[in-house]
Amino acid sequence: MELKATSLLLLICVAIIHTSDEAGAIPRCCMTVTKRIPREVLRAVTTHETQSKSGRCEIDALILHIRNGKKPLCAHPKLRKVLKKLKKKPKLA
């Protein structure tokens, strides 16, 4: 009987952990930022996110997701202006 109670308790714990949203999860934050990123890399950015120090993270950062990149890059927030200019400018062949 004790085995059934232990199994049931374990099952409930796993279900709670599985269904919990990211509110209780440890956030992934940039710890440092890069100020110089080559233009070729900036042109390969597919999406970007803003990390705010007013949230769960300690510093402001621009999280860049690169095409064929394994992990995102942490850039200085001022690079957002450069990124927008590169995305607007048509590529010359």
Side-chain angles (χ1 to χ4, degrees), residues 1 5 9-10 14 19 24-25 27-29 44-45 60 63 65-66 74-75 79 83-85 90:
M1 188 68 174
L9 183 61
L10 179 63
V14 169
T19 58
R28 288 187 173 185
C29 296
V45 171
D60 289 332
I63 304 169
H65 299 276
I66 311 296
C74 297
L79 284 175
L83 185 64
K84 285 184 180 181
K85 285 181 184 178

Side-chain angles (χ1 to χ4, degrees), residues 37-47 64-67 82-83 85-87 89-92:
I37 297 178
R39 289 189 185 270
E40 300 82 41
V41 175
L42 289 175
R43 284 188 184 106
V45 171
T46 54
T47 59
L64 305 176
H65 299 276
I66 311 296
R67 189 177 329 125
V82 177
L83 185 64
K85 285 181 184 178
L86 285 174
K87 293 295 177 180
K89 187 185 282 188
K91 213 177 196 181
L92 299 175

Side-chain angles (χ1 to χ4, degrees), residues 24-61:
I26 298 172
R28 288 187 173 185
C29 296
C30 294
M31 302 307 287
T32 61
V33 294
T34 303
K35 290 184 179 181
R36 292 185 174 176
I37 297 178
R39 289 189 185 270
E40 300 82 41
V41 175
L42 289 175
R43 284 188 184 106
V45 171
T46 54
T47 59
H48 66 279
E49 306 170 53
T50 302
Q51 171 183 303
S52 175
K53 69 179 176 185
S54 63
R56 294 181 173 192
C57 302
E58 294 181 6
I59 62 171
D60 289 332

Side-chain angles (χ1 to χ4, degrees), residues 3 12 23 42 70 75:
L3 184 60
I12 291 171
L42 289 175
K70 293 181 181 172

